[in-house]
Amino acid sequence: MRRVVITSLLCGVFSLAIGPFAGAVHAAGFAGVFDAGWSTAYYPQDSITHMHQRLHALGMDEVVLQYAAVEATHLYYPSQLDFLQNTQYKNNELFPKSIEAAKATGTRVWLGLYYNGDNWYTPPTAEQLDTLSARNLKVLEEIYALYGSETVVAGVYIPQEIARYYWDGLRDDATPEMLTKHFLKPVTEAAQAKGWKVMAAPFYNQNLESPAKLQSFFEKLFAAGFKPDVIAVQDGVGASDAGKHHAETSNVAQYERAVASACNQYEIEFWVDMELFRTDDSHALADSARISAQLDSAYAAGALKVIGYDLAVLGNAGLDSLEKWKLESSVEPASPDSTTGIAIPRETRRDFNARDEKSQKRELFLNGRLQNSRSLNENSQYFKANGAKVKQN
């Protein structure tokens, strides 16, 4: 959802200065970063390679190129598909340049697929989902023909952002099962059949969710046949509408833990897509204290990796800040427990195993059913207008 918030950041934001690196440090537990291409699509090869060098030095080796194409506006690879030929901005070298940068520096890239926001928040009908799926499959075929042999390509990213609210009773036919059958499952299985992993980054809004509802929604998606390799849930800490934050650092781990629990049941890797930007309209990098709190929450909830959103927010100055801060989460990445299958932070696993079985079962029960402390008007309506909005009736 927060993607439209960042679209105003165009060329010139990420000014890459050639110079010595600050040295190899670990960037606060970050494993990578999203690159939506708003600025980097305009850069020459040496600037993109330099950026990947800096990311690699910070331990941020997962670079998620958010889009292959955005309907009518942006194209980030050299496509011959008819429906992409009238794209307004054909910055079609970002994919090949990023792949060359990854080969030179040791990073790896995830290739975004086709994005079309029309009707996505209505939400779309089964027929509209079929069209969206068909176009994604054509883009998948084309980028695989171009880059399928590149070992630095980790997989593909589905840029359509899933949110429970639109698929859980907003319209009778808008169900997790329909979304899976007509879009998520065919696209995911087609990519996996080619040997590529699949990542998705759903979003949520604490004003409209409880952890229990969120967990149940993902369980329904996965049970219906949506089996990506990675779910990187957006933590929502940077997003806000009408002064209401989508998530708070004080309880974001409850929501992340709910998604992690659903992922662990279906053996899907749980990552966190962490919002680096401030909640105001500046789109500036948040302060180190907030970022540290977000990292701790993500890893405490069981994240295997944390990736930041996004490169336009960071820019050259943001990477300087990460090098200077040298932040490290106080919680190490989780790994699945051998008996429960639920990811447990390493530093707490010994204490967890020391508790009696009854206490463990009670904790696992509560982890999946924690309720949001905020009240929500039952008549609230959620709609899309240049970003998600909440309207109280």
Side-chain angles (χ1 to χ4, degrees):
M1 177 283 314
R2 64 2 184 22
R3 303 309 187 233
V4 293
V5 178
I6 306 299
T7 56
S8 62
L9 295 169
L10 297 175
C11 59
V13 175
F14 194 90
S15 175
L16 286 169
I18 304 300
F21 303 126
V25 296
H26 193 271
F30 288 110
V33 68
F34 273 84
D35 180 6
W38 309 126
S39 53
T40 50
Y42 298 89
Y43 295 149
Q45 181 67 65
D46 60 348
S47 293
I48 292 178
T49 300
H50 181 79
M51 178 265 290
H52 277 250
Q53 286 174 325
R54 296 198 72 183
L55 292 172
H56 178 64
L58 286 163
M60 302 173 73
D61 286 331
E62 309 283 352
V63 180
V64 184
L65 304 176
Q66 190 167 336
Y67 309 106
V70 178
E71 173 64 24
T73 61
H74 292 80
L75 180 62
Y76 294 118
Y77 76 102
S79 175
Q80 301 301 315
L81 295 173
D82 290 343
F83 64 90
L84 295 179
Q85 295 314 300
N86 292 325
T87 302
Q88 184 177 5
Y89 302 107
K90 293 184 179 179
N91 311 109
N92 57 15
E93 294 300 313
L94 182 61
F95 274 22
K97 287 177 180 178
S98 297
I99 288 171
E100 288 304 309
K103 289 159 70 173
T105 63
T107 58
R108 62 180 192 162
V109 297
W110 296 74
L111 304 179
L113 295 176
Y114 167 81
Y115 176 82
N116 188 342
D118 294 344
N119 306 307
W120 184 245
Y121 299 98
T122 306
T125 63
E127 183 179 2
Q128 290 167 333
L129 286 173
D130 288 338
T131 299
L132 185 63
S133 176
R135 291 195 168 191
N136 269 277
L137 291 174
K138 288 180 179 179
V139 168
L140 173 65
E141 289 294 329
E142 191 169 52
I143 63 174
Y144 186 78
L146 291 169
Y147 312 119
S149 63
E150 300 289 359
T151 58
V152 296
V153 176
V156 297
Y157 170 72
I158 298 176
Q160 301 289 148
E161 297 176 354
I162 310 158
R164 180 203 63 82
Y165 187 84
Y166 302 103
W167 302 99
D168 194 17
L170 189 62
R171 197 179 64 225
D172 288 345
D173 65 327
T175 64
E177 292 76 16
M178 184 180 82
L179 174 62
T180 297
K181 177 181 178 180
H182 291 274
F183 176 58
L184 294 175
K185 184 177 180 180
V187 173
T188 298
E189 290 183 346
Q192 290 171 336
K194 297 181 181 301
W196 275 351
K197 292 184 177 182
V198 176
M199 180 194 301
F203 77 92
Y204 69 96
N205 184 335
Q206 288 186 9
N207 299 294
L208 304 167
E209 313 279 359
S210 70
K213 286 183 178 180
L214 203 59
Q215 179 175 337
S216 176
F217 172 68
F218 282 98
E219 289 171 350
K220 290 176 183 177
L221 284 177
F222 301 152
F226 177 43
K227 302 290 178 59
D229 298 274
V230 177
I231 286 290
V233 69
Q234 300 175 31
D235 72 353
V237 173
S240 65
D241 297 302
K244 294 184 177 181
H245 298 174
H246 283 199
E248 302 286 352
T249 55
S250 60
N251 65 348
V252 65
Q254 297 176 14
Y255 292 83
E256 293 169 340
R257 191 177 293 115
V259 181
S261 181
C263 289
N264 287 325
Q265 291 180 50
Y266 289 88
E267 299 183 339
I268 295 167
E269 287 191 19
F270 172 68
W271 298 10
V272 169
D273 172 6
M274 203 185 94
E275 295 178 346
L276 300 173
F277 49 92
R278 299 197 319 223
T279 54
D280 57 27
D281 293 329
S282 69
H283 311 308
L285 180 66
D287 61 77
S288 61
R290 199 199 83 180
I291 290 175
S292 291
Q294 289 172 263
L295 281 165
D296 284 348
S297 294
Y299 285 126
L304 297 178
K305 293 184 179 182
V306 176
I307 49 179
Y309 193 88
D310 85 331
L311 199 55
V313 173
L314 279 173
N316 196 54
L319 290 176
D320 287 345
S321 293
L322 292 184
E323 290 171 342
K324 179 181 178 181
W325 293 340
K326 297 183 180 179
L327 301 175
E328 292 185 0
S329 173
S330 61
V331 182
E332 294 184 44
S335 61
D337 178 77
S338 60
T339 56
T340 66
I342 294 178
I344 304 170
R346 290 193 183 101
E347 70 170 16
T348 61
R349 200 177 308 135
R350 181 182 302 171
D351 293 337
F352 183 93
N353 291 335
R355 289 194 289 270
D356 58 61
E357 183 179 359
K358 183 178 180 180
S359 296
Q360 292 182 31
K361 288 182 177 178
R362 182 176 183 274
E363 178 171 80
L364 295 175
F365 178 86
L366 291 174
N367 283 349
R369 291 163 175 79
L370 291 170
Q371 299 296 316
N372 185 9
S373 59
R374 297 185 184 183
S375 61
L376 172 63
N377 187 326
E378 293 295 331
N379 297 319
S380 295
Q381 297 296 315
Y382 196 37
F383 64 96
K384 184 78 176 180
N386 193 30
K389 305 289 183 181
V390 179
K391 179 181 179 181
Q392 302 287 349
N393 287 339

